[in-house]
Amino acid sequence: MTSLDYLRNIGISAHIDSGKTTLTERMLYYTGRIHRIAEVRGKDGVGATMDSMELEKERGITIQSAATFCEWKLAEQDYFINIIDTPGHVDFTIEVERALSVLDGAVLVLCSVGGVQSQSMTVDRQMRRYNVPRVAFINKMDRQGGDAFGVTKQLREKLHHNAVMVQIPMGSGYDFEGVVDLVEMKSIINKGDHGEIIEVVDIPEQFKDAAEEARSKMIEQLADYDEDMAEKFLEAPETINNDDVYALIRKCTLERVITPVFCGSAYRNKGVQALLDGVCRYLPNPMEVSNKAFVRSGSEETQVTLETDESKPLCALAFKLSDTAYGQLTYTRVYQGILKKGETIYNSRTGKKHKVGRLMRMHSDQMDDVEESGAGQIVALFGIDCASGDTFHGPDVEFSMRTMHVPEPVISRSIVVTDKKMEANLSKALSRFTKEDPTFRVERDEETLETVISGMGELHLEVYIERIKREYKCPVEEGQPRVRYRESITQPVEFTYTHKKQTGGSGQYAKLEGIIEPLEEGEFEFIDKITGGSIPKEYLKAVEAGFRESLKEGSLIGAPIVGVKITIDDGATHAVDSSEMAFKTAARMALRENYKKCKPKVLEPVMNVQVEVPEQFQGRILGDLTRRRGRVTGTSMTPEQVTVIDCDVPLNEMFSYSSNIRSATEGKGEFTMEFGSYEKAPVSVQEELVEDYQKKLEEKHKK
């Protein structure tokens, strides 16, 4: 078994079409994990190794994260690397969330021409959320207009990284020859049919000055974090030892105070081996990352720090589920202890126990059976009935780990089975997909008797509808996309509400006093300011539950209510008639009665949109975005004379935009879109939504 010192668990993340999957393919080839390079849009229809799903090969995009492992030798030492290749499209952002929640380090891939793009920012926020150290790889240096220095500047200015170039490119575009290693001050050039031959040579004369300047800048940045390095840099830079530089880069990377920057071209087989060296040198091993869990003892929970130690009690997290021909496949990260084939494990959420039947290391959709997996490893289990985010533990200590951040869906559409005989198949498909993907939701519209699916975007839902048709042979008709609006309040209201009901015998009595007010950040906050015991503590939980229940559906357009803060400062009970049910009902009715007084508003999802079009179409596209109520936040021009427009546009105005931009730009325009925030809808939009909702209520009452 590989020593934990030489184990790396990393993710490859980036904006769509930055070359993540191509980079992973080269990593696998150079490490000997595969023996033939396949392209994302391969001519033979094979597709890249990590894109195993048929839809991924057809569309040329990554839809599901895929796990693999490989070995790499650095300085005569063998390193074992677990790699998860994640999607770049924002609709599949949950795949990035679940990967980063269990990984120790990451490679942030950036396009040398596109630079820091919209999804780059999203991925960066996710890395920060899970405190993941990372290195940056500026890819596609073979493209005309590629600018590693400009992209590094964007890393600093747009993402606020202390980006430290540890390499500089030798040329760009057609003239891209290789990279200069600024630590060793040598040139690295890839030769051979697939770049498998590495030549480390002296720096060519034309790049020497730039290399010396870049090395000096690198040492200066590092010196800010080490007094000895600062002293040597100022007084005797020639005495700086390369091993000390490597050690300081690693230390600063692990502390997340710098981001080492590499560059190359995965497609042209340049710079990938040097990046693998960087992954091994600078990213953490499992023992260098702090992971927390809660230990349950009765009704009490205590937070503890897990130890990457095989002798400790088992703690493992199921972070991804996948249905296969052989049953459910559960991707699992072992944080502590050993997971062994044939042993019994326990699910802390359900309390159920399971016997570990098969234990495997994954290589995309291929499997290698193993007998056991120790702390720090990523493996897959077969035949374990669980949900994404469940914690497994042994018989001795009951651990529970907090699950990943799950964004709320912003778009819905109805689906109807065209062949009633296939309804069971639809039910199976939806049950499986909701279990695998926490951002995919299903509900039943009792008025229309339609099934409504919700997700992160049009592409997200399109993919699942296509999978329903293909994998479950279930023909469905799709309704028009629907925006998932929210309601909120605009002004505070003090309230007093008494719930009193007598039906013979013991009745119901509860009195609440407090204030309902807008909450700037967050969905709901409940504050207890009861003094003197006017409401017992056991009833306050019921009060909070009652308020939460009322927030599920507002009276304005029937949408969930968010941004509400409710403070309870007084109340009263009855010795006989008060109960948890009475206080829950009182809370529910108090909000319902006072909601209109809070002057509610409709919130609509506004998307961060980035459009790339040739310069000659700029005016036409800007005009179209303005008509769609778009708010332009910035424009820039690439060296290839492509205009990049950043803007915020309501989701309701973006349906079918992909076909519109193609026709408006002769097929040359592209755009990406991700959820930005909920904002107040214009009065005209709100009035229209309220009118539609009232009509639905009237029709419902007539029935």
Side-chain angles (χ1 to χ4, degrees):
M1 187 175 288
T2 304
S3 166
L4 289 174
D5 289 322
Y6 306 110
L7 174 62
R8 301 290 182 268
N9 293 315
I10 68 165
I12 313 288
S13 301
H15 182 87
I16 190 170
D17 204 28
S18 293
K20 299 175 306 302
T21 302
T22 302
L23 175 61
T24 307
E25 190 81 3
R26 270 36 176 203
M27 285 181 164
L28 297 178
Y29 179 74
Y30 296 133
T31 57
R33 195 69 185 82
I34 60 175
H35 303 289
R36 172 183 177 270
I37 292 176
E39 303 303 342
V40 174
R41 293 180 175 89
K43 294 178 182 178
D44 54 6
V46 174
T49 304
M50 302 301 279
D51 287 346
S52 58
M53 188 190 295
E54 186 180 340
L55 277 171
E56 291 178 316
K57 294 172 183 175
E58 286 179 13
R59 292 174 178 257
I61 61 172
T62 302
I63 292 172
Q64 292 186 332
S65 56
T68 188
F69 62 94
C70 57
E71 292 184 50
W72 183 245
K73 188 181 287 290
L74 172 65
E76 301 306 314
Q77 178 62 55
D78 290 324
Y79 286 79
F80 189 96
I81 308 172
N82 286 312
I83 301 175
I84 296 184
D85 175 34
T86 63
H89 200 289
V90 69
D91 284 19
F92 309 107
T93 192
I94 190 62
E95 296 289 332
V96 186
E97 287 282 349
R98 61 171 130 221
L100 292 176
S101 70
V102 298
L103 293 172
D104 303 324
V107 178
L108 174 61
V109 184
L110 301 162
C111 174
S112 68
V113 178
V116 172
Q117 298 166 281
S118 57
Q119 186 67 1
S120 311
M121 298 179 185
T122 301
V123 167
D124 182 66
R125 284 197 300 272
Q126 292 168 319
M127 290 179 181
R128 292 179 191 273
R129 181 179 293 132
Y130 300 107
N131 299 318
V132 177
R134 65 278 221 188
V135 299
F137 181 69
I138 300 173
N139 194 21
K140 301 190 177 183
M141 282 303 303
D142 59 305
R143 281 186 60 185
Q144 289 304 303
D147 182 2
F149 299 96
V151 176
T152 302
K153 185 180 179 183
Q154 288 183 28
L155 262 174
R156 297 186 185 115
E157 294 177 351
K158 290 188 175 182
L159 297 183
H160 309 294
H161 284 224
N162 185 8
V164 177
M165 295 187 80
V166 296
Q167 295 177 347
I168 62 169
M170 294 192 294
S172 66
Y174 297 122
D175 299 323
F176 179 56
E177 300 176 26
V179 299
V180 174
D181 182 330
L182 297 178
V183 181
E184 298 290 343
M185 287 301 280
K186 293 286 187 180
S187 292
I188 302 173
I189 299 171
N190 292 83
K191 296 286 184 71
D193 293 338
H194 301 294
E196 66 276 14
I197 301 170
I198 305 170
E199 289 187 358
V200 180
V201 298
D202 291 336
I203 303 170
E205 196 65 36
Q206 68 267 36
F207 297 113
K208 275 189 176 178
D209 289 345
E212 287 173 3
E213 183 182 344
R215 177 181 166 87
S216 180
K217 176 66 176 174
M218 176 187 74
I219 299 297
E220 182 182 357
Q221 288 178 276
L222 294 172
D224 289 339
Y225 303 99
D226 186 87
E227 290 183 6
D228 290 340
M229 184 71 73
E231 189 175 327
K232 288 180 181 179
F233 175 68
L234 292 171
E235 297 177 3
E238 69 279 358
T239 64
I240 294 175
N241 184 285
N242 287 351
D243 288 339
D244 292 339
V245 176
Y246 284 132
L248 185 53
I249 294 174
R250 177 175 176 77
K251 176 177 178 291
C252 293
T253 304
L254 298 191
E255 292 174 357
R256 302 189 307 282
V257 293
I258 72 163
T259 300
V261 179
F262 296 78
C263 55
S265 168
Y267 185 68
R268 297 297 176 192
N269 310 311
K270 296 179 186 293
V272 178
Q273 294 97 325
L275 175 63
L276 280 165
D277 288 347
V279 164
C280 298
R281 277 198 176 102
Y282 304 135
L283 292 182
N285 65 53
M287 296 183 294
E288 294 170 311
V289 178
S290 177
N291 294 293
K292 307 286 185 182
F294 290 86
V295 173
R296 291 179 184 168
S297 180
S299 60
E300 297 293 321
E301 278 192 343
T302 306
Q303 191 175 46
V304 297
T305 299
L306 297 172
E307 298 179 47
T308 310
D309 186 338
E310 295 178 357
S311 65
K312 300 290 183 181
L314 173 68
C315 180
L317 180 72
F319 66 92
K320 173 180 166 62
L321 309 181
S322 180
D323 195 49
T324 73
Y326 307 102
Q328 180 174 298
L329 192 64
T330 304
Y331 290 79
T332 307
R333 164 72 189 259
V334 183
Y335 285 96
Q336 185 176 280
I338 298 182
L339 194 56
K340 290 184 178 180
K341 182 178 176 180
E343 289 198 345
T344 300
I345 58 175
Y346 299 80
N347 186 323
S348 66
R349 179 181 62 87
T350 64
K352 292 182 179 178
K353 60 181 181 179
H354 307 274
K355 187 174 182 179
V356 180
R358 286 185 68 187
L359 196 60
M360 291 148 297
R361 286 204 185 109
M362 298 301 299
H363 174 50
S364 187
D365 58 346
Q366 301 169 29
M367 310 167 196
D368 293 349
D369 282 271
V370 294
E371 292 298 312
E372 62 180 44
S373 178
Q377 290 285 359
I378 294 174
V379 287
L381 305 168
F382 248 137
I384 303 291
D385 182 22
C386 66
S388 183
D390 283 355
T391 306
F392 298 123
H393 59 84
D396 304 322
V397 181
E398 186 178 349
F399 289 108
S400 174
M401 299 189 75
R402 292 296 180 251
T403 56
M404 69 212 79
H405 169 75
V406 179
E408 287 296 313
V410 295
I411 186 172
S412 303
R413 71 192 315 165
S414 62
I415 55 173
V416 179
V417 183
T418 56
D419 182 353
K420 295 295 183 184
K421 296 177 183 177
M422 304 303 290
E423 284 186 346
N425 282 22
L426 177 63
S427 179
K428 287 178 187 176
L430 296 179
S431 175
R432 169 192 165 188
F433 295 151
T434 52
K435 200 173 184 183
E436 290 180 0
D437 183 351
T439 61
F440 180 73
R441 312 281 174 85
V442 180
E443 53 194 20
R444 181 80 166 169
D445 189 327
E446 296 302 331
E447 297 174 34
T448 62
L449 300 180
E450 294 174 324
T451 299
V452 178
I453 58 175
S454 304
M456 301 306 297
E458 284 187 277
L459 178 61
H460 191 205
L461 298 186
E462 281 174 16
V463 165
Y464 276 116
I465 289 170
E466 190 62 30
R467 291 182 67 187
I468 289 169
K469 293 175 180 177
R470 291 189 188 193
E471 297 174 26
Y472 288 87
K473 312 297 182 202
C474 185
V476 293
E477 287 183 353
E478 309 146 41
Q480 289 298 312
R482 309 174 187 175
V483 176
R484 291 177 71 89
Y485 293 98
R486 298 286 186 268
E487 296 182 28
S488 191
I489 58 175
T490 59
Q491 70 176 35
V493 169
E494 294 184 357
F495 70 91
T496 299
Y497 185 83
T498 303
H499 173 63
K500 190 185 294 184
K501 189 175 181 182
Q502 197 70 40
T503 56
S506 61
Q508 293 185 24
Y509 180 87
K511 182 179 180 182
L512 296 173
E513 292 184 18
I515 182 171
I516 304 169
E517 54 191 325
L519 179 66
E520 288 188 11
E521 292 186 9
E523 295 190 359
F524 174 62
E525 185 177 346
F526 178 73
I527 297 178
D528 164 23
K529 283 193 176 180
I530 296 293
T531 57
S534 56
I535 300 178
K537 290 289 182 186
E538 61 266 25
Y539 292 160
L540 285 170
K541 286 186 177 179
V543 172
E544 182 177 356
F547 283 128
R548 287 188 181 277
E549 196 172 294
S550 291
L551 294 172
K552 291 178 180 177
E553 186 177 320
S555 59
L556 203 59
I557 61 170
I561 305 169
V562 297
V564 177
K565 175 181 173 183
I566 301 179
T567 303
I568 298 295
D569 51 30
D570 203 359
T573 61
H574 186 278
V576 177
D577 295 343
S578 289
S579 64
E580 288 186 15
M581 179 59 71
F583 273 93
K584 185 176 181 180
T585 303
R588 198 167 59 242
M589 297 304 296
L591 183 59
R592 188 177 301 175
E593 186 179 272
N594 290 277
Y595 185 57
K596 287 287 177 69
K597 299 176 187 175
C598 297
K599 294 196 174 176
K601 61 182 177 182
V602 172
L603 301 177
E604 62 180 355
V606 175
M607 314 302 283
N608 296 332
V609 180
Q610 188 173 79
V611 183
E612 297 184 13
V613 293
E615 186 181 9
Q616 67 264 35
F617 300 111
Q618 177 180 344
R620 185 185 302 174
I621 294 302
L622 282 170
D624 183 50
L625 289 170
T626 301
R627 284 191 293 275
R628 294 173 184 272
R629 296 194 282 128
R631 185 172 64 242
V632 177
T633 57
T635 59
S636 59
M637 186 75 69
T638 72
E640 298 173 315
Q641 299 302 301
V642 172
T643 300
V644 180
I645 304 168
D646 292 298
C647 54
D648 299 329
V649 190
L651 174 61
N652 194 42
E653 305 290 343
M654 289 299 292
F655 293 136
S656 304
Y657 186 63
S658 55
S659 58
N660 290 353
I661 193 174
R662 279 197 297 270
S663 61
T665 62
E666 300 172 6
K668 298 172 184 175
E670 297 179 349
F671 81 101
T672 57
M673 180 173 71
E674 64 173 319
F675 172 70
S677 61
Y678 273 96
E679 295 183 12
K680 184 179 179 181
V683 174
S684 58
V685 174
Q686 177 164 319
E687 288 176 348
E688 186 179 334
L689 291 169
V690 171
E691 186 179 337
D692 288 345
Y693 181 62
Q694 291 302 322
K695 285 180 181 176
K696 286 181 182 177
L697 289 180
E698 289 172 10
E699 290 173 5
K700 186 177 179 180
H701 289 317
K702 286 178 183 177
K703 291 177 182 179

